[in-house]
Amino acid sequence: MTDLLDRKLLFVTGKGGVGKSTVAAALALLAAERGKRTLVCEFDAKGNLADFFESGPTRFQPREVAAGLFAMSMDPEESLKEYLTLQLRLPLMARIGPLARIFEFVATAAPGVREILTVGKVVWEVREARWDLVVVDASATGHIVGQLTAPQAINELVQVGAIRQQTDWLVDILSDPVRTGLVIVATPEEMPVNETIELAERLENETVVDLAAVVVNRVLPELFGRAEEEVFDRLAGGAELNDALAADAAPIVEGARLAVTLRRSRAEHLDHLRDSLPSDLPLLYLPYLFVRSHGMRSTRQAAAALGAELGY
Amino acid sequence: MEQLFAAKEIVISCGSGGVGKTTTAAALAAMAATRVGGRVLVLTVDPARRLANALGLEGFGNVEKPVPASAFAEVGVAPRGELWAAMLDTKQSWDNLVQRHAPDALTAQRILDNPLYQNVSGRFVQSHDYIAMERLFEIHTGGQYDLIVVDTPPTRNALDLLEAPQRMAEFFSSRFLRLLIAPYRSKLINMASRPFYQVADRILGSQFLQDIAEFFILFQTMYAGFVQRAEAVDRLLHDKRTTFIVVSTLEAAPLHEAEFFVDALSDKRFHLGAVVLNKVLPAYLLEAGAAVVAERLVKDAAPIAAEVAPRAGCAEDLVERVLTEMGENFLRFQLVAQREAEQRSELAVSPEVVATVPYFESDIYDLGGLLKLGEQIWS
Ligand SMILES: Nc1ncnc2c1ncn2[C@@H]1O[C@H](COP(=O)(O)OP(=O)(O)OP(=O)(O)O)[C@@H](O)[C@H]1O
Ligand SMILES: [Mg+2]
């Protein structure tokens, strides 16, 4: 199997709020640190990817946010304009005002138009070989399949027209596991785990894209082994600790109990996830980052943790 | 909270994805059925499987179902009223809407069969948001329930939810939509003479353009009905019997979204019933004295272990490891708890509407769990 970061295009998806942007940012930073010229693209224009690099807002034009790492955010309208000028060579048309607004209606009604402009842009970047790696902070699980199957949808609906001619090379790149892969981010909780399992099945059945890895995010550390846990229970039940400290240790005991229970209830979900995914699929664990705030520093930590998981 | 629920007929639970909106809505409905009484319906969007199970919703779409009295009896509760539950099936609701507003059965069928319909019904003008509100309107008008608690789909932008009915109406009266379908309505306008159509034609092909136009022309037959309905839905949301509950965790992004939503509610003159802060870490994590103790445990684990181990009858090296872990663990969680407390203090919402729900260590998957959570919000 191809090394994750040796692919050219990685889509990162997952349920809302599980850490897609965190993981996309970390993978991109890791790649850049390893000398790859990397583009990270956020599909959600209202997203917060920029926060993870503390770089100020991202735009359609890629901007360097760290050495060798460029960030951009998707804008289907900009993508349409770029497509019209670069590929159809219609420089003037692209500036016609109503076009953009009518585009809104067409894209609303016509399946695949918006999607193909979104996915098409990042695949185009790969095709043009401008980058060693393109990481996509993609849409949540609910939308990703629709986006990845847009070329097929377009093929079925549009019989002629320029947009149809694009679908061949798009499918070529998307379906090549050497170049393209998808990463699902999940937290060890009920809903994210279920969505991950469902998405893995849908990817297999409905799309041409290869599932490259699942990142399990916010994994809590294991505090105690079996022997330690016995000792903990003993100490928690007695007065010895309070006596020795001449202080109240109850909050610390409760804190430890909280961590143990949380980890345990999450372990069940994790087992379910592991059992339900193909056994040869890499699972990468990203620990819960106990940090004061989230920014470049925590992105570096996440990158380092993922790097360790990948054996770097 | 009890007053609020006794006075209102509609409670809408909103917030970012993953904050516990669905669970909160279900918990509040269960509490209302238990304490206030009457017929209470919870309309949920996407419940976790075990929650759906707990509410007896497995395998049911748009149909409302009573939560069996035995489910309450099992957890030793005798509710004053009845709890009903229904799931929102967006596709089904859209189909119903089309059937209701189409001028005749044939047109309805042509719309439902149009290849573009699926796509439109799945997405346009935040259709999930709209359809949730639309369905609420339908149920409310039916007059079967004393209280309806609605869970909403996750929104990127909270405003989408509030503006959905209005936008729906605007979409169908838009000038651009008319421009798009004009050439297909009247042969007088020569398509090829307009630059837009030239471009669109090159990209999409004229056949496809025609499909789109046809679809909109069909859809426009429902225009009047849609707009009227959207306006009625909007009025209902503004009605004084309706209130909104904003759910959030103390994480930066959801909280930011929640604040934005609270502002939007007041700007647009909707009623804010409560802000529910969910998954809040326990207060003991913030104790300053405890931090000092935790630091001592980390730094002096060895001497403390030497003192404790013989008295507790445990191996000293094990005790030392346990003490270090306990101390470090406390300090880690304290960092997060402090960050959350800061976020909370910055929350510009009057405190009397804020309810806090602790982080439950295990998942909530039955009525007992829901009521436990509900009690936290209630008090
Ligand atoms: N491993 C982790 N440890 C601690 N906090 C984390 C971790 N991963 C993510 N977070 C925090 O959780 C929050 C949500 O993460 P993020 O923005 O990456 O999620 P997302 O999946 O991109 O969300 P959305 O669906 O809204 O785009 C952020 O505040 C982030 O800093
Ligand atoms: Mg994100």
Side-chain angles (χ1 to χ4, degrees):
Chain A
M1 201 202 75
T2 324
D3 232 16
L4 194 63
L5 298 187
D6 285 340
R7 301 197 199 211
K8 297 287 163 214
L9 177 58
L10 286 177
F11 291 94
V12 180
T13 182
K15 188 175 160 56
V18 294
K20 286 182 297 292
S21 306
T22 306
V23 169
L27 285 175
L29 185 64
L30 181 64
E33 282 171 353
R34 298 180 57 78
K36 290 182 192 289
R37 197 178 142 78
T38 306
L39 173 69
V40 58
C41 171
E42 180 174 42
F43 271 1
D44 177 0
K46 287 184 199 146
N48 59 341
L49 181 70
D51 295 348
F52 294 91
F53 305 112
E54 297 172 48
S55 66
T58 49
R59 300 185 207 296
F60 190 69
Q61 275 314 319
R63 206 154 48 79
E64 192 160 18
V65 293
L69 175 57
F70 292 73
M72 66 167 284
S73 52
M74 183 51 64
D75 179 343
E77 236 169 75
E78 286 296 322
S79 172
L80 174 67
K81 283 187 194 159
E82 188 178 273
Y83 165 77
L84 293 176
T85 43
L86 285 182
Q87 301 196 42
L88 294 187
R89 306 192 188 290
L90 289 170
L92 270 174
M93 295 299 173
R95 264 183 254 127
I96 293 177
L99 178 65
R101 276 168 286 177
I102 295 213
F103 161 76
E104 191 60 34
F105 283 106
V106 175
T108 298
V113 171
R114 194 187 298 273
E115 286 81 358
I116 210 154
L117 289 166
T118 300
V119 173
K121 164 69 179 170
V122 291
V123 181
W124 165 259
E125 292 292 322
V126 171
R127 189 192 187 199
E128 293 291 288
R130 290 184 197 148
W131 315 94
D132 296 317
L133 173 66
V134 177
V135 179
V136 182
D137 178 6
S139 319
T141 34
H143 295 293
I144 188 76
V145 172
Q147 280 175 336
L148 297 177
T149 51
Q152 287 111 288
I154 291 272
N155 255 346
E156 277 164 30
L157 277 156
V158 186
Q159 304 309 319
V160 288
I163 222 166
R164 184 173 176 145
Q165 287 150 24
Q166 307 300 314
T167 56
D168 288 345
W169 61 263
L170 267 170
V171 172
D172 266 358
I173 293 178
L174 286 175
S175 63
D176 178 5
V178 176
R179 281 183 286 181
T180 303
L182 184 129
V183 175
I184 311 178
V185 184
T187 51
E189 295 164 301
E190 183 184 7
M191 293 291 275
V193 162
N194 286 344
E195 279 194 19
T196 302
I197 295 165
E198 273 157 30
L199 179 61
E201 275 163 21
R202 291 192 64 195
L203 275 177
E204 177 74 32
N205 298 334
E206 296 169 38
T207 78
V208 294
V209 180
D210 182 53
L211 177 56
V214 166
V215 173
V216 183
N217 190 20
R218 300 202 203 154
V219 176
L220 290 169
E222 174 146 41
L223 287 193
F224 309 127
R226 186 178 297 255
E228 278 108 343
E229 186 147 354
E230 270 170 31
V231 171
F232 170 71
D233 287 339
R234 174 71 192 75
L235 294 180
E240 295 86 357
L241 193 54
N242 281 352
D243 293 348
L245 289 164
D248 183 15
I252 288 109
V253 171
E254 283 313 309
R257 206 170 262 144
L258 175 71
V260 169
T261 349
L262 276 180
R263 182 171 161 104
R264 198 163 289 150
S265 75
R266 288 168 168 229
E268 280 168 37
H269 299 302
L270 201 54
D271 288 344
H272 177 47
L273 179 67
R274 229 183 266 118
D275 293 345
S276 311
L277 293 173
S279 55
D280 56 347
L281 182 72
L283 243 59
L284 310 174
Y285 298 91
L286 182 56
Y288 193 105
L289 303 169
F290 292 90
V291 290
R292 187 151 264 296
S293 64
H294 292 275
M296 195 58 171
R297 186 157 163 264
S298 59
T299 305
R300 281 219 176 81
Q301 283 177 14
L306 286 174
E309 286 285 290
L310 288 166
Y312 299 142
Chain B
M1 201 59 85
E2 189 147 340
Q3 265 171 12
L4 185 71
F5 276 75
K8 300 290 175 187
E9 290 176 19
I10 294 175
V11 176
I12 301 173
S13 152
C14 26
S16 315
V19 296
K21 247 183 327 195
T22 308
T23 318
T24 303
L28 286 172
M31 281 303 283
T34 309
R35 301 268 175 93
V36 184
R39 261 159 90 100
V40 180
L41 173 73
V42 54
L43 179 62
T44 89
V45 175
D46 183 23
R49 209 163 294 151
R50 289 196 290 180
L51 180 62
N53 264 333
L55 296 173
L57 278 175
E58 201 73 341
F60 284 83
N62 263 341
V63 200
E64 303 130 58
K65 288 217 333 160
V67 175
S70 61
F72 281 94
E74 265 168 41
V75 294
V77 173
R80 297 179 61 183
E82 290 168 35
L83 178 61
W84 288 63
M87 218 143 91
L88 183 74
D89 181 336
T90 312
K91 173 85 176 76
Q92 187 60 49
S93 305
W94 262 100
D95 292 357
N96 294 348
L97 204 63
V98 167
Q99 262 143 5
R100 186 174 326 109
H101 292 302
D104 52 69
L106 189 69
T107 314
Q109 203 49 48
R110 279 176 69 194
I111 293 172
L112 296 178
D113 289 344
N114 190 299
L116 300 187
Y117 166 70
Q118 190 106 5
N119 190 59
V120 166
S121 62
R123 180 169 62 188
F124 92 92
V125 237
Q126 261 63 46
S127 76
H128 290 278
D129 299 338
Y130 178 68
I131 218 75
M133 298 301 113
E134 154 73 31
R135 183 87 175 104
L136 166 68
F137 179 80
E138 193 184 324
I139 296 175
H140 185 257
T141 318
Q144 298 248 20
Y145 300 94
D146 298 294
L147 174 69
I148 308 172
V149 183
V150 197
D151 170 28
T152 55
T155 37
R156 230 308 149 228
N157 181 344
L159 282 177
D160 289 345
L161 185 72
L162 304 178
E163 288 174 352
Q166 218 179 322
R167 239 194 271 178
M168 184 85 179
E170 273 164 22
F171 184 85
F172 279 99
S173 46
S174 164
R175 197 162 69 78
F176 292 104
L177 184 57
R178 261 177 279 145
L179 188 60
L180 176 69
I181 61 183
Y184 302 93
R185 275 215 157 133
S186 120
K187 300 273 178 259
L188 290 176
I189 303 168
N190 179 4
M191 247 187 82
S193 68
R194 286 174 174 250
F196 161 68
Y197 296 106
Q198 283 175 355
V199 179
D201 188 42
R202 264 181 85 175
I203 304 170
L204 299 163
S206 54
Q207 179 58 47
F208 185 51
L209 267 181
Q210 198 168 333
D211 285 349
I212 296 177
E214 220 172 82
F215 172 72
F216 278 121
I217 289 168
L218 278 174
F219 226 77
Q220 283 220 318
T221 60
M222 305 190 297
Y223 173 70
F226 258 75
V227 171
Q228 241 177 38
R229 183 80 165 187
E231 282 165 358
V233 171
D234 193 47
R235 270 198 305 279
L236 179 64
L237 295 187
H238 275 101
D239 197 286
K240 64 178 187 316
R241 291 167 297 178
T242 303
T243 190
F244 287 79
I245 289 198
V246 180
V247 186
S248 179
T249 59
L250 283 170
E251 281 174 298
L255 199 62
H256 184 78
E257 187 66 23
E259 281 187 302
F260 185 71
F261 201 108
V262 168
D263 287 347
L265 284 175
S266 94
D267 275 0
K268 295 179 183 297
R269 303 182 184 288
F270 291 99
H271 183 264
L272 171 68
V275 175
V276 173
L277 298 176
N278 195 14
K279 300 194 192 174
V280 175
L281 286 170
Y284 63 74
L285 290 172
L286 292 169
E287 283 173 26
V292 176
V293 176
E295 271 157 17
R296 272 175 66 202
L297 282 178
V298 175
K299 203 157 48 64
D300 301 328
I304 299 172
E307 194 181 330
V308 169
R311 288 188 52 205
C314 301
E316 198 175 312
D317 59 333
L318 277 181
V319 174
E320 185 181 335
R321 271 213 298 281
V322 168
L323 295 182
T324 313
E325 284 289 347
M326 280 167 67
E328 282 172 351
N329 174 70
F330 184 88
L331 296 173
R332 283 195 296 256
F333 270 101
Q334 184 169 64
L335 204 64
V336 179
Q338 272 166 351
R339 187 178 75 213
E340 291 192 354
E342 263 162 49
Q343 302 266 28
R344 180 172 178 175
S345 65
E346 283 163 19
L347 184 68
V349 177
S350 73
E352 59 266 31
V353 298
V354 179
T356 308
V357 182
Y359 204 124
F360 282 92
E361 286 133 51
S362 44
D363 305 316
I364 291 160
Y365 53 84
D366 62 6
L367 203 53
L370 281 181
L371 288 169
K372 205 171 108 189
L373 187 141
E375 264 163 40
Q376 295 283 344
I377 309 176
W378 216 252
S379 53

